[in-house]
Amino acid sequence: MDEIIRFDNVVYSYAAAGESQETMSGPGGGGAAESGRSADGHRQPEPDAGAGGTPALDGVTLSVRRGETVAVLGHNGSGKSTLVRMLNGLLTPLSGTVTVCGIGTGEEDRLLEVRQKVGLVFQNPDNQIVATVVEEDVAFALENLGVPPAEIRERVDAALRDVGMVEYREHAPHRLSGGQKQRVAIAGALAMDPLVLALDEPTAMLDPRGRGEVMETVRRLNRERGVTVVMVTHHMNEAALCGRVVVMDRGRIRLDGTPEDVFLRADELRALGLGVPQTVALARGLGLDAAPLTDEDCARVIFDFVRGGASAGG
Amino acid sequence: MLKDITLGQYFPGTSLVHRLDPRAKLILVFAFITALLTANHALTYLVILLYLALAVTVSRVRPSALARGMRPMAFIILFTAVLNIFYTPGRPLVSFWIFTVSAEGVERAVFMALRLLMLISCTFMLTYTTSPLALADALGRLMSPLAKIRVPVHEFAMMMTIALRFIPTIIEETDKIMSAQKARGADFETGNLFRRAKALIPLLVPLFVGAFRRADDLAVAMECRCYHGGGGRTRMKQLRMTGVDALVLTGSVALLAGVSALGRLGWFMR
């Protein structure tokens, strides 16, 4: 049983959630349980509630296994960021359940446990770094969890090593490049020793070089540390690097499969306002029924095509 | 132009001053300022000045960095000095029209300027050699007895840390917005005070909106990293007063207090 995350028919709408969002202020707060109950009042919102009440998530069922890398695609407003915020209980479903390692994200008293299991990294690296020194920022989560100082030191060093930022550990974050800042943010999540690393468009504000750094880091963490990765992205090339692609549209999952499977359905993707990686676009432009994801694959597909065409013609 | 502001900047280092317990440093700064404000004799000033010079040398903070921090205050220092030269009654040295320069005036002007310069230098030395987080931490710990009377010490320290963290970011953003508004024809440099203040509105509005958005993002990011207030928190960097800390602290406080007391009592006057 290596299922690590489970979404069961999850419905969420920001309009309907309005007030219950206040409950996000943390576990154990006296008010949290109460407003949680008041949210029960509108437990069953109409899925197609009008007047701006379009659900951000509309019956999402999803299962992620340990060690997977999942790319979540979708145009703006498709609900992918909401999906990610569900992973660690930042948002809790209006109906349905989200379970992380068997713990429901709605269980107020186990919220810290869930947050520790799912490290979340956001788009803007500037807005998620708390401390003025890199290593102190990485230590932030562990300090919050009440880990003994000596162990914090060890885990911070390990996390910085894992993202390749050891030599910057005494630097001021605002002097780092975007890619470096984002790697610090990843280290900050990684220090918690999470099972899942969830990233919400981690490369959106970075230059190509920073994007490469971040993607390389994330993939290495998956490969070497076995961290499960859930990543929202707009870049098809990044999605192609993942083992699994989930395409969302208007709060629902439309496509779910390996990158090859998903990108082969280019017409459906286009209808959802999405493109395909350039290699796939090229192959399809040639009229091939293939979805090569790497340059080498693409070259081979085209080579086969040209040779096949030549032998058929001659 | 905004990049010149170095307030709250920290230059990492490994000198004795850097490694000194931040609590000890805070107390030292307090003692230093007290000694400075009660100093009333050239010899006292000299000792304090030497002490500061020693601290700067040991810390390897570049004097140019201190000077840079001083620049915005230059006018006030000069102004104070000039006022003191002309408005201190005493033995006249030079006199023209309605102005009289007295010997006491010159002496006081020099002392005043020295006092201000050293005051600023000493606070800069604190922020240059102490990571703001350590500083906020030290403040929090020194004030922690106040938590018993329900003063939100942890929250206060956290707020300071975050403010310090975001000062450079917000300054950068200000620069960016300024350029953007200039590109759209905004004029921040001409006109009278009123016009210039009004010209700042298109700068301040996006700045505030941006700051609030940042605050929102940061709050979510902090929650994601299990932040739940001050309860049950530990710190990676423990503060431990070592023998060296205690030695430096007691030695310095004794020196500063002694020198200032002797000056007060008039022992140097003989």
Side-chain angles (χ1 to χ4, degrees), chain B residues 9 32 45 63 73 81 91 108 114 117 128 135 188 190 196 215 223 247-248:
Chain B
Q9 208 80 291
F32 186 87
Y45 277 104
M73 306 297 287
R91 200 157 38 83
R108 259 179 83 172
L114 258 178
L117 283 173
Y128 281 168
L135 204 55
F188 295 110
T190 59
R196 275 203 239 181
E223 252 184 74
L247 201 69
V248 172

Side-chain angles (χ1 to χ4, degrees), chain A residues 1-54:
Chain A
M1 138 91 212
D2 53 357
E3 181 183 70
I4 198 163
I5 294 168
R6 165 149 211 96
F7 279 61
D8 243 330
N9 202 23
V10 171
V11 175
Y12 187 78
S13 144
Y14 285 96
E19 278 160 36
S20 63
Q21 248 188 317
E22 309 276 303
T23 65
M24 296 306 134
S25 52
E34 269 172 54
S35 34
R37 219 172 294 133
S38 77
D40 283 10
H42 26 175
R43 251 274 134 108
Q44 304 283 341
E46 287 299 304
D48 295 67
T54 345

Side-chain angles (χ1 to χ4, degrees), chain A residues 24 29 32 52 58-59 65 76 97 143 177 182 190 200 236 264 266 282-283 287:
Chain A
M24 296 306 134
D58 186 7
R65 286 199 317 278
N76 292 336
T97 53
E143 293 179 339
S177 75
Q182 203 59 298
L190 210 59
D200 190 358
M236 296 303 148
L264 262 178
L282 177 59

Side-chain angles (χ1 to χ4, degrees), chain A residues 110-244:
Chain A
R110 298 183 77 179
L111 201 54
L112 282 187
E113 223 177 309
V114 171
R115 298 233 160 115
Q116 182 265 315
K117 284 184 163 48
V118 182
L120 210 53
V121 174
F122 294 98
Q123 186 183 87
N124 189 333
D126 270 324
N127 296 0
Q128 50 186 327
I129 293 178
V130 188
T132 44
V133 179
V134 166
E135 62 176 0
E136 290 184 9
D137 185 72
V138 176
F140 183 69
L142 298 177
E143 293 179 339
N144 290 333
L145 289 167
V147 176
E151 194 186 334
I152 297 184
R153 181 85 259 172
E154 265 168 48
R155 284 164 72 172
V156 165
D157 288 348
L160 282 171
R161 239 188 337 267
D162 281 343
V163 299
M165 290 293 290
V166 177
E167 61 268 47
Y168 294 95
R169 71 186 154 135
E170 295 203 327
H171 282 228
H174 70 272
R175 296 192 187 257
L176 301 177
S177 75
Q180 289 172 330
K181 280 185 216 169
Q182 203 59 298
R183 282 193 281 160
V184 170
I186 292 174
L190 210 59
M192 297 191 289
D193 208 4
L195 294 168
V196 181
L197 192 59
L199 307 103
D200 190 358
E201 296 186 39
T203 60
M205 299 183 73
L206 306 182
D207 56 10
R209 184 174 175 182
R211 276 212 294 276
E213 285 172 16
V214 169
M215 280 310 289
E216 180 43 46
T217 306
V218 170
R219 292 180 72 202
R220 190 156 38 77
L221 289 173
N222 174 259
R223 217 168 39 229
E224 291 171 9
R225 299 253 169 273
V227 179
T228 309
V229 174
V230 177
M231 185 175 85
V232 170
T233 180
H234 276 298
H235 294 274
M236 296 303 148
N237 297 339
E238 290 172 5
L241 294 173
C242 293
R244 178 175 167 194

Side-chain angles (χ1 to χ4, degrees), chain B residues 65-82:
Chain B
L66 281 177
R68 196 153 31 105
M70 219 83 79
R71 213 179 299 150
M73 306 297 287
F75 176 73
I76 293 176
I77 294 169
L78 216 66
F79 190 69
T80 317
V82 167

